[in-house]
Amino acid sequence: GGVTATQLISPAMNLSGYSSASLSFWHYYRDIGDTGDSAVVEVSTNGGSSWNIIQSYTTTLGTASGFVNAPAVNLNAYAGQASVTLRFRYRATNDWYWSIDNVSVTGAPLPSFSWTSTPSGFTSGVQNPTGVAVSANTVYQVSVSNGGCSDEATVTVNVDVTDSDG
């Protein structure tokens, strides 16, 4: 006969290099059905000054010997943020419990681009650089990496200074 109020808070995560992200975890939430009971997942991007509820649970899920994998919680709205903190918050009056295991945050990293040139003098980190002035034959090399995958390519620009119309 009492009130339980507890929370599990993650360390801050840097999602600034990701285009998408999601949260996955296994849990057993045993609910008695009282109003006011809550099991929620929240996110903060300001060090915990404020929290947004991104998922809530109101009915029993899983069993003590059979945790269930919660459907992936979409964190795409927080991809690109430098400081993302998750909080699992449980509040109950004369209720049971919420057990959580195997918490994982995964995402798709943003690709990075690195342009150089021969002869040297040109560098860029954008995918499609514009406004490049070419005054001599130049070979441009680009390296692309995306979460462990990488590739390279070259573009050759040959300047034709032949006057064909006099």
Side-chain angles (χ1 to χ4, degrees):
V3 175
T4 299
T6 188
Q7 56 191 2
L8 175 65
I9 301 174
S10 77
M13 295 168 276
N14 184 348
L15 298 180
S16 63
Y18 290 84
S19 60
S20 64
S22 65
L23 165 68
S24 173
F25 61 95
W26 290 77
H27 66 146
Y28 170 34
Y29 174 53
R30 186 166 179 196
D31 183 54
I32 211 167
D34 289 345
T35 59
D37 297 344
S38 61
V40 297
V41 181
E42 299 169 306
V43 66
S44 175
T45 57
N46 58 15
S49 294
S50 62
W51 296 92
N52 295 316
I53 295 173
I54 56 174
Q55 184 65 53
S56 61
Y57 302 98
T58 57
T59 60
T60 297
L61 297 164
T63 66
S65 61
F67 281 34
V68 295
N69 191 358
V73 179
N74 186 319
L75 298 175
N76 290 347
Y78 306 97
Q81 296 287 321
S83 181
V84 178
T85 305
L86 299 172
R87 176 168 75 175
F88 296 84
R89 188 171 47 88
Y90 175 69
R91 178 173 164 67
T93 305
N94 300 318
D95 212 325
W96 294 99
Y97 38 79
W98 189 21
S99 301
I100 301 165
D101 198 9
N102 297 325
V103 176
S104 175
V105 174
T106 57
L110 291 168
S112 64
F113 299 89
S114 177
W115 286 88
T116 58
S117 67
T118 305
S120 63
F122 174 78
T123 61
S124 178
V126 298
Q127 180 176 0
N128 296 308
T130 59
V132 180
V134 179
S135 59
N137 293 349
T138 306
V139 177
Y140 296 92
Q141 301 89 21
V142 63
S143 297
V144 181
S145 64
N146 189 357
C149 297
S150 62
D151 203 359
E152 295 182 355
T154 61
V155 175
T156 302
V157 177
N158 292 314
V159 176
D160 183 0
V161 293
T162 305
D163 186 359
S164 62
D165 66 356

